[in-house]
Amino acid sequence: MASIVLKDLSKTFGKVVAVDQVNLTIQDGEFFALLGPSGCGKTTTLRMIAGLETPTSGTIFIGDQDMTNCNPRERDVAMVFQDYALYPHMTIEENVGYPLKVRRINQAERKQRVTDVSNNLGIGSLLERRPGQISGGQQQRAAVARAVVHHAQVFLFDEPLSNLDAKLRFESRGFLKHLQKELQITTVYVTHDQAEAMALADRIAIIDHGKVAQVGSPQEVYLRPQTVFVASFLGNPPMNLLPCKLDLAKRQVQINGSQIDVSQVSQINGIKTLVSEGENLSLGIRPEHISLYAEETAQAFPAELYVTQPLGSEVLVTLQVAETTVSVRLFTDEPPELPRRVWLKPDPKRILLYRTDGNLVA
Amino acid sequence: MKRYRKRISSVLYYVFAVLAIAFFGLPLLWLILTPFNSRASLAVEIPTAPTLDNFRAVFQNKFAVQALTQNNLIIAIGTMLGVTLIASLAAYALSRARIPGRNAMAYTLMLFSSVVTGTAAMVPIFLIIMGMGLIDQHLGVILVLIGGNLPTAIFMMRDFVDDIPASYEESAMISGASPFQIFKDVALPQVRPGMMVVAVWSFVNAWGAFLIPFILLRSSDKLPASTAIYSFYTEAGTPNILLVSAYALLYTLPVVVFYLLVNWKYGFRFFGGIKR
Ligand SMILES: Nc1ncnc2c1ncn2[C@@H]1O[C@H](COP(=O)(O)OP(=O)(O)OP(=O)(O)O)[C@@H](O)[C@H]1O
Ligand SMILES: [Mg+2]
């Protein structure tokens, strides 16, 4: 077990900057997720930790040791690849036992450990088969078994669930989290699925174009995204961002002709130093933090109904405010009858304000 | 009407198929039947009184037998081992290393290969082999044949290697395997079918090579079968068709057997540079 420290880590491929000055500290035993859209450099970061890619600049520490230029085999890490990389010519038993075989662990002990791990992961009856003869979910477990069979300091996962169907992905999520908590091994988990990252990780780093946009617990990054990018990446549907005009003196913003009080917004007192009177801002509010009214209401702004989608335990309402699309989540199992014109009232404690450069100001 | 047209087109199709089979099949049939005839003929005829006399006569020609059982084997196996080994390693490097312009490199090599074993390069090749003191030695022939076959072999091999995900080797690397262990446990079992294809292909090429051994070898006891076959010509230069065909049949057999053996053992997958 070990902590991981990345210092000013960068990687360029020709002209492409895949990873740009990344600084991260991953605690011993932590389940850490790297989250970001396709092509943002998650895999490259993971591969540098594994030693499969040499950093262009920067340093990597694993367990206080500088591992920047070490071979993968010296780092004592285990990795589960997106395609699982199970060797097709070996049985599952040989696959799972391979890390032990190359470490010259004798056959009896090898067999014992492979059997133990495989039984734990529910693939004990498949040991004689080859990877081509088992299902995707079983392959994923076999790949995890191969990773945990020798007790590495660090686990690395590169989108291990992306090849599974929705139901299996949900099951595997619980299984992986349980396993990690049981083994207490430092884990770095790459995904582009925000729900996966939120569900699994102790902390999440959101990556944007090779840079770390924000690091924090799932609650922190969900409730107080530091940039518009993070706000619009997390959540399904993502946070609503409404253009508004700030009235500093009255502690109000103007949206679609209505005045909304922002005096309860956290850190509103510090906003003076960051913005000027009458500046255009974005008001951020999650779909579940908006109340919907059929009549004109104080502290609410008007919107045009676009469509309602019942989702079982909740109803998703999509509306139009001037040119902006707004989503509202209603926790009811009965789709409400709504007029064309409705009023939306954001929860005043949940409002966030962003500057036009994308940074959170209050 | 429509039905008639359909029937006519299917009749035409079969006529064409039969003609095509006859065109390619008849010479083979001739090759198989003629050696068992007692009378020489260029027509395909089923022998009325099959005989093995022709083969007996062939085996009396010590020089031709030695060509087939020794010289040909030395040249073909030597070339096969060299080509397969070097092509596998080269294809691996070419497929895995991030070299700019590696595709252009592969295609250029491919083009050059036809030059190396072609007539155009005969004089320089002769001079080089002479300079190396390898004239009239099997090694000289083998080296030239390896050089000529390598580019295409690398090209074929690379197709196999490209199809193997790099994550297999990377996963082994992280598991703690040494480069040799990775090669032995992970890479080799994956590329084995490709190596078999290249081995058979280069064996067949070297087995049938005529021009290179003809130019580089002098002593008659070192010539391979492709040139030794001329010993069945009379002094006036007319071939003894019965003996030539018997010898030719013997000459073909090892290749067929080798192919069938590999096919049975590994199942042939001949992609030859074509992506599926
Ligand atoms: N071997 C390489 N050669 C050149 N460019 C590369 C290489 N590997 C990655 N890149 C580039 O670096 C950037 C980051 O790639 P990376 O694979 O890390 O993205 P990712 O976040 O894992 O994306 P995804 O979610 O699609 O897997 C991309 O623009 C990619 O094109
Ligand atoms: Mg990736």
Side-chain angles (χ1 to χ4, degrees):
Chain A
M1 270 173 258
S3 62
I4 302 170
V5 178
L6 309 182
K7 266 181 95 175
D8 298 324
L9 197 65
S10 295
K11 176 75 185 179
T12 52
F13 295 105
K15 287 198 183 72
V16 182
V17 183
V19 176
D20 194 2
Q21 297 281 319
V22 164
N23 283 290
L24 285 174
T25 302
I26 298 162
Q27 305 297 339
D28 188 3
E30 190 173 30
F31 199 134
F32 194 88
L34 295 174
L35 175 66
S38 189
C40 71
K42 310 177 293 284
T43 298
T44 309
T45 308
L46 198 73
R47 288 170 59 85
M48 285 194 283
I49 298 175
L52 296 172
E53 213 79 67
T54 318
T56 310
S57 64
T59 338
I60 299 170
F61 294 91
I62 300 176
D64 301 328
Q65 248 182 304
D66 185 346
M67 293 276 191
T68 315
N69 295 310
C70 289
N71 284 328
R73 55 200 298 236
E74 297 166 75
R75 300 191 184 204
D76 196 18
V77 300
M79 182 160 169
V80 176
F81 289 77
Q82 186 168 358
D83 60 3
Y84 307 143
L86 295 169
Y87 315 126
H89 56 281
M90 296 186 196
T91 63
I92 299 303
E93 177 167 4
E94 289 164 338
N95 263 290
V96 174
Y98 191 67
L100 303 179
K101 187 180 160 201
V102 298
R103 288 184 162 75
R104 305 203 191 293
I105 288 172
N106 70 54
Q107 198 156 13
E109 187 184 345
R110 206 157 79 207
K111 184 148 186 97
Q112 185 60 44
R113 277 167 72 176
V114 169
T115 314
D116 285 351
V117 168
S118 305
N119 285 339
N120 261 344
L121 302 190
I123 52 166
S125 58
L126 306 172
L127 290 180
E128 299 307 314
R129 301 211 207 159
R130 285 176 201 277
Q133 300 167 325
I134 60 177
S135 75
Q138 292 165 338
Q139 287 180 15
Q140 186 238 342
R141 278 166 197 240
V144 172
R146 186 173 63 185
V148 302
V149 72
H150 82 280
H151 308 286
Q153 306 192 66
V154 171
F155 280 168
L156 305 173
F157 289 94
D158 191 0
E159 313 214 19
L161 305 185
S162 61
N163 290 338
L164 304 180
D165 66 42
K167 185 168 168 284
L168 206 51
R169 202 178 317 162
F170 184 76
E171 283 174 17
S172 301
R173 224 155 74 180
F175 152 76
L176 282 181
K177 186 163 186 170
H178 180 79
L179 187 74
Q180 198 270 344
K181 290 289 163 258
E182 203 159 84
L183 299 174
Q184 294 281 323
I185 291 179
T186 315
T187 300
V188 186
Y189 188 100
V190 161
T191 178
H192 65 263
D193 180 346
Q194 44 107 7
E196 209 169 285
M198 303 271 291
L200 286 171
D202 298 324
R203 282 194 308 150
I204 302 176
I206 291 119
I207 317 274
D208 178 19
H209 286 98
K211 287 193 170 73
V212 177
Q214 189 174 353
V215 186
S217 70
Q219 290 71 28
E220 279 164 13
V221 293
Y222 185 76
L223 293 176
R224 270 192 86 72
Q226 292 298 313
T227 67
V228 170
F229 170 80
V230 178
S232 54
F233 191 74
L234 291 176
N236 185 26
M239 185 181 280
N240 297 301
L241 292 163
L242 292 143
C244 62
K245 206 178 174 79
L246 178 69
D247 185 340
L248 252 182
K250 290 193 191 151
R251 295 278 153 92
Q252 280 181 339
V253 293
Q254 192 177 22
I255 297 178
N256 211 10
S258 301
Q259 304 298 326
I260 310 289
D261 182 54
V262 293
S263 57
Q264 292 186 59
V265 171
S266 68
Q267 297 172 15
I268 190 70
N269 292 326
I271 200 172
K272 281 195 286 287
T273 55
L274 298 167
V275 295
S276 45
E277 181 66 67
E279 192 171 321
N280 287 320
L281 299 177
S282 287
L283 179 143
I285 187 81
R286 292 265 171 217
E288 58 270 32
H289 297 147
I290 300 180
S291 327
L292 200 148
Y293 298 90
E295 292 96 36
E296 184 162 359
T297 310
Q299 302 298 326
F301 51 88
E304 300 285 327
L305 187 66
Y306 180 67
V307 71
T308 37
Q309 303 177 52
L311 301 175
S313 62
E314 58 185 52
V315 177
L316 195 60
V317 186
T318 311
L319 311 105
Q320 205 65 41
V321 177
E323 258 83 77
T324 318
T325 304
V326 175
S327 308
V328 176
R329 180 172 279 158
L330 303 175
F331 293 96
T332 164
D333 42 21
E334 259 176 74
E337 286 293 321
L338 292 171
R340 270 193 62 79
R341 193 172 169 80
V342 296
W343 272 263
L344 304 180
K345 182 181 174 189
D347 179 346
K349 290 199 180 70
R350 301 290 195 175
I351 289 174
L352 300 169
L353 293 172
Y354 294 92
R355 239 172 13 201
T356 42
D357 67 0
N359 285 322
L360 185 71
V361 287
Chain B
M1 252 338 256
K2 219 173 184 177
R3 207 132 128 246
Y4 271 120
R5 204 176 289 166
K6 213 170 166 188
R7 196 167 292 171
I8 288 174
S9 81
S10 81
V11 166
L12 282 178
Y13 173 77
Y14 282 112
V15 168
F16 177 76
V18 167
L19 283 178
I21 290 171
F23 184 76
F24 292 105
L26 282 178
L28 282 176
L29 210 57
W30 180 86
L31 178 66
I32 295 170
L33 294 178
T34 312
F36 301 98
N37 247 333
S38 48
R39 266 182 317 110
S41 155
L42 278 180
V44 176
E45 51 183 78
I46 297 169
T48 41
T51 167
L52 290 175
D53 285 350
N54 299 326
F55 291 100
R56 251 170 243 131
V58 164
F59 280 114
Q60 251 134 48
N61 184 337
K62 286 270 153 352
F63 159 67
V65 170
Q66 192 191 10
L68 202 56
T69 55
Q70 262 183 36
N71 302 339
N72 246 56
L73 278 182
I74 292 172
I75 291 174
I77 289 178
T79 307
M80 176 186 83
L81 291 180
V83 168
T84 311
L85 196 75
I86 301 172
S88 306
L89 297 176
Y92 225 94
L94 214 56
S95 171
R96 291 294 187 255
R98 289 175 194 154
I99 309 166
R102 58 187 179 162
N103 278 326
M105 199 157 105
Y107 282 105
T108 321
L109 278 176
M110 218 13 206
L111 285 175
F112 275 130
S113 72
S114 53
V115 178
V116 169
T117 40
T119 353
M122 278 309 117
V123 175
I125 282 178
F126 184 83
L127 291 177
I128 290 171
I129 297 297
M130 179 115 101
M132 291 168 79
L134 292 176
I135 290 290
D136 200 24
Q137 287 190 33
H138 287 141
L139 185 60
V141 176
I142 291 172
L143 286 180
V144 175
L145 287 178
I146 288 177
N149 284 322
L150 255 187
T152 316
I154 293 173
F155 196 79
M156 277 158 59
M157 214 43 221
R158 207 188 67 147
D159 211 50
F160 281 92
V161 181
D162 278 347
D163 279 350
I164 304 168
S167 58
Y168 291 159
E169 294 139 63
E170 290 171 351
S171 163
M173 220 184 280
I174 289 176
S175 293
S178 66
F180 178 71
Q181 282 171 320
I182 295 173
F183 179 73
K184 180 171 68 76
D185 298 338
V186 179
L188 196 62
Q190 292 296 306
V191 295
R192 194 172 286 147
M195 289 174 78
M196 287 302 141
V197 168
V198 170
V200 171
W201 176 83
S202 56
F203 182 89
V204 171
N205 273 359
W207 188 261
F210 168 74
L211 196 57
I212 303 277
F214 183 67
I215 291 174
L216 297 183
L217 297 177
R218 292 286 163 78
S219 341
S220 55
D221 61 346
K222 285 187 179 154
L223 290 177
S226 58
T227 44
I229 204 166
Y230 286 98
S231 63
F232 296 109
Y233 282 50
T234 61
E235 250 140 60
T238 45
N240 180 340
I241 289 180
L242 285 175
L243 296 189
V244 166
S245 65
Y247 190 62
L249 189 62
L250 292 175
Y251 184 29
T252 339
L253 278 183
V255 174
V256 175
V257 169
F258 186 37
Y259 169 82
L260 290 179
L261 204 73
V262 169
N263 192 22
W264 165 69
K265 195 96 203 278
Y266 296 96
F268 231 109
R269 303 187 305 162
F270 191 76
F271 307 136
I274 298 159
K275 281 262 179 255
R276 282 139 302 146

